[in-house]
Amino acid sequence: MTRQISRRSLLKSSGVAVGAAAGIAAAGRPAAAADGAFAHPGLLHTRTDLGRMAARVKAGAAPYSAGFARLTANRHAQSGWQARPQAVVYRGSGTPENYALLYNDIHAAYQNALRYHVTGESEYADTAVAVLNAWSSTLTAVNGSADRFLAAGLYGYQFANAAELVRDHGDFELARFQEMLSKLFGAVSDDFLVRHNGAVVSNYWTNWDLANMACVLATGIFCDDRAQVARAVDYFKHGDGLGAIKNAIPVVYDEEADGGLGEWLEAGRDQGHALLGVGLMGTFCEMAWNQGIDLYGYDDSRFLKGAQYVAKWSMGGQVPFTASTRRKGAIGGWSGSETVTAAAGVDPSMTRPIWALIANHYTRRRGLPATYVTRIAAKAAPEGGGGDYGPNSGGYDQLGFGTLTFTRDRTEAAGGAASSPSPTAPASAPASAPASASASASSSPSVMGKGGDLAATGSGDVVGWTAATGITALAGGLLLLRRRGRERGRRAG
């Protein structure tokens, strides 16, 4: 658990598999084409999803109409949005620290593209394409402190999702965008999952890994790179870092209602980052599902148990907690440890647009009970998107609009609760990483002392969107060395 992950480990075959025939597979899941190509559009939204949204909004059906109203009211979703591309984006350090320009433009591209698919009005697609083309013709680097990895991960997966919605537009510079996404985002995220910025693997919290996992997966699908997708899926299942599912959800309490609760690691840190992590894992699972890979159901639906835990806790409910200690620091440099003994305090009014996706998958596609997730999703509806949850970066960490995009009827789950992907063509990774996954010179820093680059947060806006906690929130870390002998039943990863 404490060993530094090797590239050999990250590259081993993940057992990724895709359907053998084009079309819609069991449980509403699109299958890949027979030649092994990925389904497009096939990140957060499939062609079937987009058609459903358009039809339901046109019919004035609830809750789609309420979700669409939130979209059209957002300032980012207006045609004519003017992009502000930068040659170099900085997050955490550098001059100017301008990453807000990037995430605002990404959300404008995504929201305009989504609005186009609902209305069919071409000016929205044209706006999205203009924004994406402006960035792919200008951006040369994503730099900063350790927070450059957060920027690469968060904005990489979001960029891919915005572009996926207009990839067939006649004016979209697809090849150029793929090159930018692969070299400036995917490669940086890939490197983070291998090297963790020169830190011990335990130095970074769950959301750091998950942001970069989402970028690697989204970039792999968008660029039709099967080896990259295989690496991302393998990391989800077997990675040494905090984003791997059995590290993110290390303890399962089976005696709890609805199949059990899974302790979410960052619940010991603070509420805001725990919500971020759940949203990112849901995003990861949905993108994989749309390529015929069931990670929602992996390890007896472990993610559902983690989401249930965070939902119950965020609404003010009592949750069990197993004390944990983590190591932190640089390889060969400074080091330390910290023990967390209780779940952090929460603000029940805090919300993020993450729950509709999770609730609709488990209760509608699969027909599984999910009491706490269902309740918190209803409380958050109709979900908005970037710009609706505060002006700081935390309000732009999810693309949002889940009420519009993920609401579905039970009848759409063609295979019912018993359905699960039945893949036939396993993908295997090559013996070495592609050139696009090579490390950049700035991503393997020399050993740093305490207060250096490893634990940087890059901005002060975290405080504005996280609840107060009983412990000091650190910028990085894997909670390790799970305390054994707990009296309650559990299954540790």
Side-chain angles (χ1 to χ4, degrees), residues 240-334:
D240 286 354
L242 187 53
I245 188 166
K246 292 182 182 179
N247 295 335
I249 308 168
V251 182
V252 170
Y253 305 95
D254 287 316
E255 67 271 27
E256 298 291 334
D258 285 0
L261 296 179
E263 183 176 313
W264 190 265
L265 210 54
E266 281 193 278
R269 182 186 184 191
D270 61 58
Q271 183 184 8
H273 287 98
L275 291 172
L276 169 59
V278 170
L280 288 170
M281 187 171 283
T283 294
F284 190 92
C285 290
E286 183 70 14
M287 293 188 297
W289 176 272
N290 285 334
Q291 299 300 330
I293 307 164
D294 184 9
L295 300 178
Y296 281 116
Y298 181 74
D299 194 26
D300 194 26
S301 297
R302 196 180 190 99
F303 174 49
L304 172 59
K305 296 168 185 177
Q308 285 272 87
Y309 182 100
V310 173
K312 180 180 181 181
W313 167 65
S314 289
M315 291 187 291
Q318 295 295 311
V319 292
F321 192 88
T322 300
S324 308
T325 300
R326 72 177 183 92
R327 287 183 58 222
K328 55 183 180 177
I331 298 173
W334 68 272

Side-chain angles (χ1 to χ4, degrees), residues 46 49 128 132 201 453 466 468 488:
T46 67
D49 294 333
L132 297 170
V201 72
D453 188 48
T466 58
R488 309 186 65 152

Side-chain angles (χ1 to χ4, degrees), residues 103-315:
Y103 65 66
N104 274 279
D105 277 0
I106 291 173
H107 283 257
Y110 172 76
Q111 292 179 28
N112 270 274
L114 192 58
R115 190 167 180 177
Y116 160 71
H117 279 284
V118 174
T119 67
E121 296 172 290
S122 61
E123 62 263 35
Y124 299 109
D126 294 343
T127 297
V129 168
V131 172
L132 297 170
N133 283 347
W135 278 94
S136 69
S137 68
T138 306
L139 188 65
T140 62
V142 177
N143 289 338
S145 67
D147 274 22
R148 69 191 180 276
F149 295 108
L150 288 177
L154 292 169
Y155 311 138
Y157 95 77
Q158 293 176 359
F159 242 155
N161 271 278
E164 182 79 346
L165 294 178
V166 294
R167 67 181 295 137
D168 295 329
H169 191 288
D171 294 332
F172 179 53
E173 296 288 348
L174 174 62
R176 189 175 74 197
F177 194 89
Q178 287 175 319
E179 181 178 14
M180 177 198 72
L181 189 65
S182 179
K183 291 183 177 180
L184 303 186
F185 295 89
V188 174
S189 289
D190 223 338
D191 183 75
F192 180 81
L193 296 179
V194 174
R195 305 180 194 279
H196 285 88
N197 193 29
V200 294
V201 72
S202 53
N203 192 67
Y204 291 96
W205 285 98
T206 303
N207 72 86
W208 289 74
D209 262 13
L210 284 170
N212 286 284
M213 290 161 61
C215 178
V216 172
L217 179 64
T219 302
I221 294 170
F222 187 80
C223 297
D224 293 304
D225 186 334
R226 290 172 62 80
Q228 186 165 332
V229 172
R231 292 197 299 277
V233 174
D234 181 68
Y235 196 94
F236 176 92
K237 295 178 178 179
H238 308 299
D240 286 354
L242 187 53
I245 188 166
K246 292 182 182 179
N247 295 335
I249 308 168
V251 182
V252 170
Y253 305 95
D254 287 316
E255 67 271 27
E256 298 291 334
D258 285 0
L261 296 179
E263 183 176 313
W264 190 265
L265 210 54
E266 281 193 278
R269 182 186 184 191
D270 61 58
Q271 183 184 8
H273 287 98
L275 291 172
L276 169 59
V278 170
L280 288 170
M281 187 171 283
T283 294
F284 190 92
C285 290
E286 183 70 14
M287 293 188 297
W289 176 272
N290 285 334
Q291 299 300 330
I293 307 164
D294 184 9
L295 300 178
Y296 281 116
Y298 181 74
D299 194 26
D300 194 26
S301 297
R302 196 180 190 99
F303 174 49
L304 172 59
K305 296 168 185 177
Q308 285 272 87
Y309 182 100
V310 173
K312 180 180 181 181
W313 167 65
S314 289
M315 291 187 291

